[in-house]
Amino acid sequence: MQVSGFLVHLAGAVMLLLYSTRMVRTGIERAAGPLLRTLFISLGKGWVKSVLAGVIGAIFLQSATAIALLVSSFAATGVLSVAVALAIVLGADLGTALVVQFLSLDLNWLMPALLAIGGFMFLKMDTRLAKQLGRVIIGVGLILISLSMIGTASAPLRSASWMPGFIGFLSEDILISFFGGVLLAFLFHSSVAAVLLFATLAAKGILPIEAGLPLVLGANAGGGLVAVWLSRDGKTPGRHVTGSNLLFRLVGGMAMLAVMSGVDLPLERLGATADRQLVNFHLLFNAALVLVCLPFIRPALALMRGLIRDEQEELDLLKPASALDTAVLKMPHLALASVTRELLRMSEIVEVMVTPVMDFFSVSNPQQVQRVRQLDKDVNRAHTDIKLYIAQLSQGELSSEEAQRAVEMTSVAISLERVGDIISKELLPLTIEKHRRNLEFSAAGWKELTNFHARVITNMQLALNVLVSEDLETARMLVEEKAVMRRLERESHDKHMARLSSGTVESRASSDIHLETIRALKEINSRFATFAYPTLEKRGVLLDSRLS
């Protein structure tokens, strides 16, 4: 009973640690996602600057894996070179080591203040930014609580009869300890959480430094393995980035194990206690890894190109067979379900088209722009197929509800087709014109555009949820966002006019592109907002007109 209670307590503390680190990362992504994208693209033009960008990004997101997945997606679309992306990931590994340094300090006195401030911001403030920052502050407070819980839960281990033998085994077989660290970090999907766990156990006198060092090295490699696993279905250039990062971590970890086997490290210089020695060793190892691996970025990528080959990736990875099933046309409820699946497939293609638009404004990439344009043909084809399928379905016997649903689905297909046209025929030409004329947005104007685009992406996800679930609250939120976007467009227009009046050079040169981009993004958002109207009409909560 005592053992089961200990396991439950420890498992609960570890789960809270994983949840809280994810909570912090989610809050930062929602509050400053566009800013981080801009940071990587603007700073990532030299290896030293790229490392710095990775350090900053990892400190904010508390996850090198998240950074690795983000920049590998940039590398896959050509926005960043794979070499620069890999340098950013190396910096992110160092950034997470700095995060561990901060979180491993004795900050128990700070927990109540963090929870109080974060809770107030999340529950009482109205702006999205304040709420997300409140989420981040609560997350940091919960991380500190979870570490305290881990320390309390692990206290009985010191008196366990089997513990000396187990620790002795780990201390003597450093290879087993190394792969144990790999496994734990992979299961946690977080090297930060794994290293913090090891440091907490070391602080309680449970984990000796001899066993802790190889576990920390293994956790470093495990973090790289997580990124490889999560990017396994991605495009080849992105996989080259995550694969090379894993290679660096594995080779670096193994080399350090070899050094530890033959040389007594001066650990007393790393700190007075075992936990400080662990986290300081973790920091120094990642700093050394950056310095040693930067010159080998191109050879590592060349090796990955040989190991992970591009087997002529399809133009569109979203090209499964159409979901429209002619065999169920005489069964309207199944036929309408088939149309819903095809609309979701169509939506996924549109999402692939709209997501990289701001990246194309930042970096000229004609090849990727042409690929996105080609996707519009698939959207048009899906639109035509859906209309013809529903026309065939309407020739049979449909109930009034089924007939109405068919009309609503046709409207959704029309909206998606229009969004594809806006991207292909309006936004993409604007990205080409910006680079052809060598124009730049003002810093304030660029921030407005990226924030507007990020909000459109978020609202697109709401629209897809409404399409599938017909949830009333989500539908309300989607329509309310339409009003917010209308207000943001007006505010952006007014601010842009003010910049023109003040003589901002960049704003004058790129004025037409700025205003047309905002207008196009607003229309895309409006098209997605129409997904909510059928649900609201059925519940009787949609007014016929906004006019008083």
Side-chain angles (χ1 to χ4, degrees):
M1 187 66 179
Q2 193 174 13
V3 174
S4 62
F6 151 72
L7 291 176
V8 170
H9 193 169
L10 183 61
V14 170
M15 287 300 107
L16 179 59
L17 175 61
L18 297 180
Y19 172 77
S20 50
T21 53
R22 180 183 178 85
M23 188 176 184
V24 172
R25 184 168 69 250
T26 301
I28 291 293
E29 287 173 346
R30 294 178 180 177
L35 180 62
L36 287 175
R37 292 168 66 88
T38 304
L39 172 72
F40 293 139
I41 294 171
S42 60
L43 281 184
K45 295 179 180 177
W47 285 359
V48 175
K49 289 184 177 180
S50 300
V51 170
L52 177 61
V55 170
I56 295 171
I59 289 173
F60 278 115
L61 290 182
Q62 299 192 2
S63 171
T65 300
I67 301 298
L69 295 176
L70 183 61
V71 299
S72 64
S73 69
F74 292 164
T77 58
V79 174
L80 286 178
S81 72
V82 288
V84 167
L86 182 53
I88 291 174
V89 175
L90 287 173
D93 297 337
L94 179 58
T96 55
L98 293 172
V99 170
V100 170
Q101 285 281 327
F102 171 74
L103 294 177
S104 61
L105 298 174
D106 185 7
L107 300 173
N108 289 341
W109 57 272
L110 195 57
M111 290 188 297
L114 291 174
L115 295 176
I117 295 171
F120 176 81
M121 293 177 66
F122 186 78
L123 296 174
K124 298 299 182 181
M125 292 189 174
D126 295 328
T127 64
R128 177 181 292 189
L129 177 61
K131 285 183 175 293
Q132 297 310 323
L133 290 178
R135 181 193 298 270
V136 172
I137 295 171
I138 293 173
V140 174
L142 291 178
I143 288 174
L144 299 177
I145 290 175
S146 67
L147 294 175
S148 177
M149 289 176 61
I150 289 173
T152 303
S154 59
L157 290 178
R158 280 176 289 183
S159 57
S161 58
W162 51 270
M163 183 55 64
F166 179 71
I167 293 300
F169 172 72
L170 290 179
S171 301
E172 292 175 4
D173 197 328
I174 57 175
L175 202 58
I176 293 294
S177 296
F178 176 83
F179 285 107
V182 172
L183 179 62
L184 200 60
F186 182 78
L187 293 176
F188 283 5
H189 270 39
S190 171
S191 60
V192 170
V195 174
L196 285 174
L197 174 62
F198 301 149
T200 303
L201 295 178
K204 295 297 180 181
I206 297 169
L207 184 67
I209 191 69
E210 296 79 12
L213 294 179
L215 284 171
V216 166
L217 292 172
N220 271 279
L225 182 60
V226 172
V228 168
W229 174 256
L230 294 178
S231 64
R232 65 191 184 281
D233 295 326
K235 293 185 178 180
T236 304
R239 293 166 62 203
H240 290 160
V241 173
T242 56
S244 298
N245 180 50
L246 175 60
L247 176 66
F248 284 150
R249 293 199 192 195
L250 282 173
V251 172
M254 289 296 185
M256 195 66 225
L257 287 180
V259 171
M260 289 166 52
S261 298
V263 178
D264 290 331
L265 300 179
L267 297 176
E268 65 280 356
R269 297 184 181 180
L270 297 181
T273 59
D275 58 316
R276 296 314 306 168
Q277 291 173 2
L278 273 185
V279 296
N280 290 335
F281 172 80
H282 178 55
L283 177 62
L284 290 176
F285 173 76
N286 279 284
L289 206 61
V290 171
L291 295 175
V292 172
C293 294
L294 275 179
F296 294 98
I297 281 181
R298 297 194 187 282
L301 289 170
L303 177 61
M304 283 299 121
R305 291 188 189 101
L307 296 175
I308 306 174
R309 296 186 178 276
D310 182 354
E311 299 178 354
Q312 195 177 2
E313 293 179 340
E314 295 292 328
L315 174 65
D316 177 13
L317 296 176
L318 296 170
K319 271 190 179 177
S322 172
L324 300 174
D325 186 359
T326 55
V328 297
L329 277 170
K330 294 184 179 180
M331 294 175 280
H333 65 289
L334 294 180
L336 291 174
S338 177
V339 175
T340 300
R341 291 195 299 273
E342 182 66 3
L343 286 172
L344 288 174
R345 189 182 75 89
M346 191 177 176
S347 301
E348 289 170 355
I349 300 176
V350 170
E351 183 178 7
V352 170
M353 295 176 67
V354 72
T355 299
V357 164
M358 302 315 294
D359 299 334
F360 295 153
F361 275 115
S362 295
V363 179
S364 178
N365 195 333
Q367 183 179 7
Q368 290 297 328
V369 167
Q370 186 58 31
R371 283 190 171 188
V372 172
R373 275 182 164 161
Q374 291 296 320
L375 291 176
D376 189 42
K377 295 181 179 179
D378 298 315
V379 173
N380 294 338
R381 188 181 303 113
H383 169 237
T384 301
D385 291 346
I386 288 172
K387 287 197 301 183
L388 294 176
Y389 187 85
I390 290 179
Q392 286 181 274
L393 177 63
S394 299
Q395 293 174 3
E397 294 184 4
L398 300 180
S399 66
S400 58
E401 290 184 358
E402 290 168 342
Q404 179 61 30
R405 182 61 175 160
V407 171
E408 294 166 359
M409 289 181 166
T410 302
S411 176
V412 169
I414 293 171
S415 292
L416 288 171
E417 191 271 340
R418 174 57 186 152
V419 170
D421 284 345
I422 294 171
I423 298 165
S424 178
K425 298 174 182 177
E426 298 180 31
L427 286 173
L428 293 183
L430 289 175
T431 68
I432 295 172
E433 181 182 356
K434 174 182 177 293
H435 294 294
R436 180 179 60 81
R437 296 171 56 189
N438 198 27
L439 301 176
E440 294 294 337
F441 295 114
S442 67
W446 177 244
K447 183 178 179 181
E448 290 168 15
L449 289 173
T450 53
N451 288 341
F452 206 86
H453 175 262
R455 199 149 194 146
V456 170
I457 298 294
T458 301
N459 292 341
M460 178 176 61
Q461 298 301 324
L462 291 177
L464 298 184
N465 290 339
V466 171
L467 177 63
V468 174
S469 67
E470 298 186 64
D471 178 67
L472 177 60
E473 289 306 314
T474 307
R476 277 181 178 274
M477 190 184 307
L478 184 57
V479 173
E480 288 169 357
E481 274 291 309
K482 184 178 179 181
V484 172
M485 296 295 280
R486 189 164 51 245
R487 174 178 57 79
L488 292 176
E489 183 204 21
R490 288 197 302 268
E491 291 178 356
S492 178
H493 180 274
D494 293 343
K495 290 176 182 177
H496 182 71
M497 291 297 114
R499 288 192 294 271
L500 291 180
S501 300
S502 67
T504 305
V505 177
E506 297 92 339
S507 296
R508 287 189 174 185
S510 61
S511 177
D512 290 343
I513 294 178
H514 178 100
L515 294 175
E516 289 179 34
T517 300
I518 288 288
R519 182 196 57 77
L521 290 173
K522 177 175 174 278
E523 184 178 351
I524 289 174
N525 187 81
S526 297
R527 289 288 177 172
F528 284 120
T530 62
F531 287 24
Y533 293 160
T535 299
L536 297 176
E537 286 176 353
K538 289 176 185 176
R539 310 293 176 87
V541 294
L542 189 66
L543 298 177
D544 292 333
S545 172
R546 297 203 333 258
L547 295 174
S548 59

